[in-house]
Amino acid sequence: QVQLVESGGGLVQAGGSLRLSCAASGRTNRRYTMGWFRQAPGKEQELVASISWIGGSTYYADSVKGRFTISRDNAKNTVYLQMNSLKPEDTAVYYCAASPSTPPPLQRGSYDYWGQGTQVTVSS
């Protein structure tokens, strides 16, 4: 089992920045791909970004390209999502998730472990 705990969410004005963190514990010796998903009220959950174990392969949704950066520190069992130039449409609950698959999968069902989520609210 792997436990994931997100932090770093909050309220920010449009144009601002936030950095989300996801700390993993438990059976972290396996080489997991990590992903950040988000779900806004009334919308389906979507994959925002993902990163392979070594970090050489990343994915970004078109809506966040050039604004968000995913990274990881395997020594700390932590993955980050740096979010810049935030927009009101980025408002959502953000979840991190771990998948044993590589390259980083796009499908939600390929991720085995999930955090509880952290709220990001961007005001206009």
Side-chain angles (χ1 to χ4, degrees):
Q1 291 287 335
V2 175
Q3 293 78 43
L4 303 174
V5 179
E6 303 98 333
S7 61
L11 173 64
V12 64
Q13 289 188 333
S17 298
L18 284 174
R19 188 176 83 154
L20 305 183
S21 299
C22 174
S25 61
R27 299 185 66 178
T28 58
N29 56 317
R30 191 168 182 178
R31 298 184 173 189
Y32 288 102
T33 287
M34 299 299 294
W36 284 99
F37 289 76
R38 69 184 180 186
Q39 187 164 22
K43 295 188 177 180
E44 291 188 356
Q45 192 176 63
E46 64 170 337
L47 177 62
V48 174
S50 62
I51 186 167
S52 60
W53 167 256
I54 298 176
S57 180
T58 57
Y59 164 87
Y60 294 96
D62 288 342
S63 58
V64 305
K65 281 181 181 176
R67 300 188 298 122
F68 290 13
T69 302
I70 189 170
S71 62
R72 67 190 298 164
D73 184 339
N74 292 333
K76 297 181 178 180
N77 294 321
T78 302
V79 62
Y80 306 98
L81 186 67
Q82 178 66 45
M83 306 186 294
N84 298 329
S85 302
L86 283 161
K87 304 176 181 180
E89 50 264 43
D90 294 318
T91 295
V93 178
Y94 284 71
Y95 301 88
C96 72
S99 170
S101 301
T102 188
L106 303 180
Q107 302 83 3
R108 183 188 188 284
S110 295
Y111 290 80
D112 294 342
Y113 301 103
W114 292 80
Q116 82 289 349
T118 186
Q119 176 71 47
V120 172
T121 303
V122 184
S123 63
S124 57

